[in-house]
Amino acid sequence: VAAWCLFLGAAMVLGGVRDRLLAQRLGEETARRLLTLVLCAIIFLTTWGMVCATGLRDPSAAWRIGAGWTVATLALETAMGRFVMKRSASEILTDYKIWRGRLWPLVPVSTLSAPALILALAG
């Protein structure tokens, strides 16, 4: 749970950096792509720390952790989009259109796979 909260905090900070600093300099789409990749790196680095700190060794547990993080991420994103930002479902799904250059799908994929990948790499 603590690792997922770090992901959430990082995503919020990066969103602020994108909106206040980078979008003006790089353009909205370039800034969005860049910071999506940065968030994925943060997810993997944080997960590496969590795996080392907890001594996680069970691949099945690693996949369950990743699945839990992913469900929490998608639920929060949907709730925030619908109820706080008042976005329609199609507006929320716009971020998932990878064929239009959106890289956001890498975030739930990273969140899901990071524990198992880090565990496999750690041997």
Side-chain angles (χ1 to χ4, degrees):
V1 173
W4 184 82
C5 289
L6 289 172
F7 305 158
L8 174 61
M12 292 172 64
V13 168
L14 291 173
V17 168
R18 182 195 66 224
D19 292 344
R20 289 177 177 80
L21 299 174
L22 294 181
Q24 300 163 2
R25 293 184 175 110
L26 302 176
E28 174 71 25
E29 290 304 315
T30 300
R32 185 178 297 274
R33 288 181 192 116
L34 174 64
L35 293 181
T36 297
L37 295 175
V38 169
L39 180 57
C40 290
I42 289 169
I43 290 168
F44 278 97
L45 289 171
T46 303
T47 302
W48 176 71
M50 184 270 309
V51 167
C52 291
T54 63
L56 179 66
R57 296 286 174 255
D58 180 11
S60 178
W63 282 108
R64 285 192 306 273
I65 290 166
W69 287 348
T70 303
V71 168
T73 299
L74 296 174
L76 179 67
E77 180 181 5
T78 301
M80 290 292 292
R82 294 288 288 156
F83 304 116
V84 175
M85 301 169 73
K86 306 294 185 196
R87 295 174 69 196
S88 68
S90 65
E91 288 173 314
I92 294 168
L93 291 174
T94 297
D95 286 334
Y96 288 87
K97 294 180 179 179
I98 203 158
W99 60 92
R100 291 200 178 155
R102 295 297 185 119
L103 298 183
W104 186 254
L106 295 175
V107 172
V109 168
S110 295
T111 305
L112 174 65
S113 64
L117 287 174
I118 296 298
L119 183 59
L121 290 172

